[in-house]
Amino acid sequence: MTTDSVDGRILELLRAGGGFASGAALSRELGVSRTAVWKHVKGLRGQGYRIEAVPTKGYCLVASPDLLTPLGLGAGLATRRIGSRLVCLRETESTNAVAFRLAEEGAPEGTVVTADAQTAGKGRLGRVWISPPGVNLYLSVVLRPLISPVAACQLTFLSVVAVARAIEACTTLAPQIKWPNDILIAGKKVAGLLNEMNAETEKVNFVVLGIGVNLNMRHSQLGAGVRHPATSLLEEGGVEVDREAFARALLRELDQLYDRFLADGEGPVRAEWLERSAIRGRQVRVSSGAREFSGEVQGVDSFGALLVQVPGGGLETVLSGDVTLC
Ligand code: BTN
């Protein structure tokens, strides 16, 4: 086993037990001496892990560093595809841009890129995604599904539902989905998704799912000029969210939903999207390119387009744009 994999296994075993694990048990599980276990624990401490050592009880993981690392994210992740390769950066222009470059160079399906801060975080429709250091989650995933380019927008359902599920798993808050890919808490935007694709006429080469979740950002960090009322999980719930635990929960949900998507198509994931959607049956105002109109939302079609019934009975199909609840 490499140093990293022993470190990862120790973290996994300490996390799984929740309390103390004896040096003898760890050495047995890992097939290394108790002295080696102690050396690895010292190494992990050097990386910011607080591990208590009590002679009669063994070792207990008290706290992890508040920084995403391949070691911390990957230990015991046990996903099938998502997280096959983990790239964790301190600062970058945009995790989507990095993931896109890696995918062009042949990065495997499931490659995940995270950053502590983004200097040019990208939002939808050419907007900026505010990305201060140390507080939020900025994450991009490379997927290589064997689908046609028109079907790629179905992957939006997948990432939105995964974020909603991760919020439920890590907080007591109730996320709502707003078309096409916003997550709201109490009507304010807490997460956004930007999927980018490299495709030929007939086939998708790869898709990058870009996910930004405001975890512990304060209102004062949001800055002026954000279009929608925005918030963070900390502002709404009053409790700091463990960034690593949230990221791991999100990767697991993505993995499970992607598995489902590959096995059963977009139907089941879209059904969950609709169930969670804050928009069905609501009156909305749509701004899509040069088009502006109001109407009642009927649902979404299998390609993710919003179906809006306009006065007079016609049904408008909206593929991209901004939707405001009336
Ligand atoms: C939106 O406008 O709602 C989409 C925001 C998407 C932001 C995420 S943060 C991680 C990834 N990297 C980026 O540059 N953008 C996405």
Side-chain angles (χ1 to χ4, degrees), residues 67-74 77 81-103 105-118 137-142 247 251:
L67 194 64
L68 300 184
T69 62
L71 177 67
L73 270 186
L77 188 62
R81 297 183 183 82
I82 311 296
S84 58
R85 178 174 166 197
L86 296 164
V87 179
C88 299
L89 306 167
R90 284 290 174 115
E91 184 182 280
T92 188
E93 76 271 37
S94 150
T95 56
N96 263 31
V98 175
F100 208 92
R101 269 200 304 273
L102 291 176
E105 291 161 12
E109 168 152 276
T111 295
V112 169
V113 180
T114 68
D116 204 43
Q118 296 185 120
L137 181 66
Y138 317 115
L139 180 144
S140 303
V141 185
V142 176
L251 296 183

Side-chain angles (χ1 to χ4, degrees), residues 39-324:
K39 278 193 188 146
H40 281 281
V41 167
K42 279 205 290 190
L44 285 166
R45 283 177 175 169
Q47 294 176 60
Y49 289 91
R50 274 183 49 217
I51 300 177
E52 209 179 315
V54 176
T56 49
K57 296 183 178 170
Y59 302 103
C60 177
L61 178 63
V62 180
S64 299
D66 184 23
L67 194 64
L68 300 184
T69 62
L71 177 67
L73 270 186
L77 188 62
T79 47
R80 286 183 69 164
R81 297 183 183 82
I82 311 296
S84 58
R85 178 174 166 197
L86 296 164
V87 179
C88 299
L89 306 167
R90 284 290 174 115
E91 184 182 280
T92 188
E93 76 271 37
S94 150
T95 56
N96 263 31
V98 175
F100 208 92
R101 269 200 304 273
L102 291 176
E104 282 174 328
E105 291 161 12
E109 168 152 276
T111 295
V112 169
V113 180
T114 68
D116 204 43
Q118 296 185 120
T119 51
K122 295 194 278 183
R124 282 176 59 237
L125 307 174
R127 294 174 191 142
V128 170
W129 186 255
I130 294 168
S131 312
V135 282
N136 295 333
L137 181 66
Y138 317 115
L139 180 144
S140 303
V141 185
V142 176
L143 298 181
R144 297 183 180 277
L146 297 172
I147 55 174
S148 69
V150 280
C153 40
Q154 295 167 344
L155 293 166
T156 303
F157 296 133
L158 196 144
S159 34
V160 179
V161 170
V163 173
R165 285 187 184 182
I167 291 175
E168 284 171 352
C170 298
T171 71
T172 53
L173 298 166
Q176 285 186 311
I177 292 172
K178 178 174 161 285
W179 184 91
N181 48 13
D182 291 348
I183 309 263
L184 314 182
I185 305 274
K188 287 165 274 177
K189 181 161 168 168
V190 77
L193 300 123
L194 177 69
N195 295 352
E196 298 183 278
M197 166 170 73
N198 176 310
E200 289 156 40
T201 327
E202 296 288 314
K203 85 175 210 312
V204 165
N205 294 323
F206 61 83
V207 175
V208 170
L209 303 183
I211 302 175
V213 189
N214 296 340
L215 298 179
N216 298 318
M217 182 153 86
R218 286 300 187 179
H219 277 145
S220 56
Q221 293 176 286
L222 275 166
V226 279
R227 275 177 55 84
H228 306 281
T231 192
S232 71
L233 297 181
L234 172 62
E235 288 287 1
E236 295 308 306
V239 182
E240 273 217 12
V241 178
D242 181 324
R243 291 192 301 155
E244 185 184 270
F246 188 90
R248 285 161 61 83
L250 178 59
L251 296 183
R252 289 203 178 110
E253 296 298 350
L254 279 171
D255 195 63
Q256 210 226 324
L257 288 160
Y258 189 49
D259 237 24
R260 189 86 204 266
F261 175 84
L262 294 179
D264 302 326
E266 47 80 44
V269 186
R270 177 159 60 111
E272 184 169 341
W273 187 99
L274 266 178
E275 212 172 281
R276 291 170 170 279
S277 170
I279 209 169
R280 196 181 201 172
R282 300 283 300 265
Q283 285 294 323
V284 290
R285 167 131 214 89
V286 177
S287 161
S288 174
R291 288 193 303 162
E292 294 238 353
F293 56 90
S294 301
E296 186 186 305
V297 176
Q298 300 299 304
V300 286
D301 71 12
S302 61
F303 297 111
L306 188 72
L307 305 173
V308 181
Q309 186 153 45
V310 292
L315 199 62
E316 292 281 344
T317 303
V318 189
L319 273 164
S320 70
D322 276 319
V323 169
T324 321

